Structures are given as C-alpha cells and as structure tokens.
Amino acid sequence: MIESWLFIFAMFAVLLIPGPTNALLASAAYHQGVSKAFSFIPAELFGYVYGISLWALLIHLSMPIWPMLIHILHFASAIYVIWLAFHLWKNAHLENYSQNHQQLKPQQLFLSTLKNPKVILFAAGIFPVETWDSFANYAWILGIFCLCLIPSAIFWIYFGRKLLAGDVRGMTADQLYKGSAMLLMLCMLPVFFRFF
C-alpha cells in the first residue's frame, strides 16, 4: 500500500513545531487549565481533517483540468517549510501570543487550524500519493495522522504551559524555536527527496 512510512516523521515534525495552533493550546493550558485545554483537541483534529480533505478534494478535482497544480503546491510546501524553519530560527513569540489569547474557544482553535498553511503541506506534500487512491487508504492515513496529532497536542498542552509558566529550567522559548527549526528541516528531508 504505502511504499515508505517515513512520512510519519515529517507529520510529527510539522505537528510539533511551534505555530499558531500549538501556541493557542499552550496558552489555553496556561490561562484556562490543562483539563480545559484537553477539550480543545477535538476542535484541532476536526480543523486539520476538514482542511486536509478540502485541499485534497480541490487537488483531485483540478488534476484533469490543471495537472500542474499538484507540482505548484509541492513547490509552495517546500518553500513554506524553508520559510518556517528560518522564521522559527530568528523568532520567539510564544509569550506575546499567549498574552493576546488568554481566553480561547473551540471555534477559534478550529478556525486557526483550518487557516494554517500546514493543512496544505499535509494534503499536498507530506501525505503519500496513495492516500487519495481509495477510501481505505484515506481512512488509514488519517488514522495515523490522528495518532500523531494527539500526542503532539498533549505535548504542547503540558510543555507549553510549563514553558509559559517558566517551570522549564535551562530552556527558553528562543531555544525551543531554534530546536524546532532544526527538527523540522531534519524530518522534512524525505519530503524534499520525494519532491525532487
């Protein structure tokens, strides 16, 4: 079915890197409590599944008319990953983001996830091409995606709250962002190799 399972590393890397959705989960855990933040995981999951499915449908419908769209999206995904890694390397804005988003609702997290460029990255660049061949493949890959997303969200709920509270000794948000940039580039190598 799937020729290479290396896409799982890329999924984890993209899900773990700091971004608006992860910052919202960390902020919710810090300001509203861990148990409240857990209730936002289904909204994040639904936002990703809905967004990925919409982009996949758009790609599928446009293939007969405009077959170059998938290549354009692959290229845009590669550029986005490089930009994101560079942006993470020079930026650390978790604390500022948390101050601006002290009260969170599931709708906000859903919309943030739906608008997140990671959705296009998953649909066009990370998920194997075989994902869209059948409903069984689609369900299988989305199941694996859910199994990757849940621990990533839990990580950001606990670790993000500790980082915002200053309970992580010897680590700052700046160091976290630089480490995330390196992890992202390392885990995205299989995607780049498949693209080129």
Side-chain angles (χ1 to χ4, degrees), residues 58-195:
L58 177 70
I59 292 167
H60 179 73
L61 293 176
S62 67
M63 286 302 279
I65 302 164
W66 194 26
M68 288 301 295
L69 178 65
I70 189 71
H71 300 297
I72 292 169
L73 289 175
H74 278 153
F75 183 73
S77 297
I79 295 299
Y80 171 70
V81 167
I82 292 168
W83 175 83
L84 187 59
F86 179 73
H87 182 71
L88 288 172
W89 189 263
K90 65 178 201 136
N91 240 352
H93 65 281
L94 184 62
E95 290 91 354
N96 296 337
Y97 201 80
S98 175
Q99 291 302 320
N100 295 332
H101 296 88
Q102 294 187 9
Q103 292 299 316
L104 181 68
K105 296 180 181 171
Q107 300 89 340
Q108 290 172 293
L109 191 66
F110 171 78
L111 290 175
S112 174
T113 306
L114 192 61
K115 295 186 292 185
N116 196 334
K118 292 179 186 180
V119 171
I120 302 170
L121 183 61
F122 284 121
I126 294 179
F127 282 13
V129 178
E130 299 90 357
T131 304
W132 319 114
D133 291 344
S134 70
F135 184 75
N137 288 359
Y138 172 75
W140 182 247
I141 297 299
L142 278 182
I144 293 170
F145 175 78
C146 293
L147 290 176
C148 293
L149 180 123
I150 292 170
S152 301
I154 292 171
F155 169 81
W156 272 102
I157 288 171
Y158 282 108
F159 184 74
R161 185 189 67 76
K162 285 184 174 286
L163 192 64
L164 287 170
D167 293 342
V168 180
R169 202 176 302 166
M171 179 177 276
T172 63
D174 184 49
Q175 292 169 330
L176 172 69
Y177 276 57
K178 284 182 174 35
S180 298
M182 289 189 289
L183 174 70
L184 176 65
M185 292 307 292
L186 180 68
C187 291
M188 290 303 289
L189 285 176
V191 175
F192 288 130
F193 288 137
R194 189 177 76 193
F195 175 69

Side-chain angles (χ1 to χ4, degrees), residues 1-58:
M1 178 177 113
I2 306 297
E3 61 188 55
S4 174
W5 291 94
L6 292 175
F7 72 95
I8 295 174
F9 294 114
M11 278 198 300
F12 266 119
V14 172
L15 288 171
L16 284 174
I17 58 172
T21 306
N22 293 333
L24 284 174
L25 282 175
S27 181
Y30 180 67
H31 292 292
Q32 296 173 277
V34 171
S35 60
K36 181 72 172 171
F38 271 112
S39 68
F40 296 132
I41 294 176
E44 179 186 17
L45 182 62
F46 187 62
Y48 271 121
V49 170
Y50 190 70
I52 290 168
S53 300
L54 280 177
W55 273 102
L57 181 63
L58 177 70

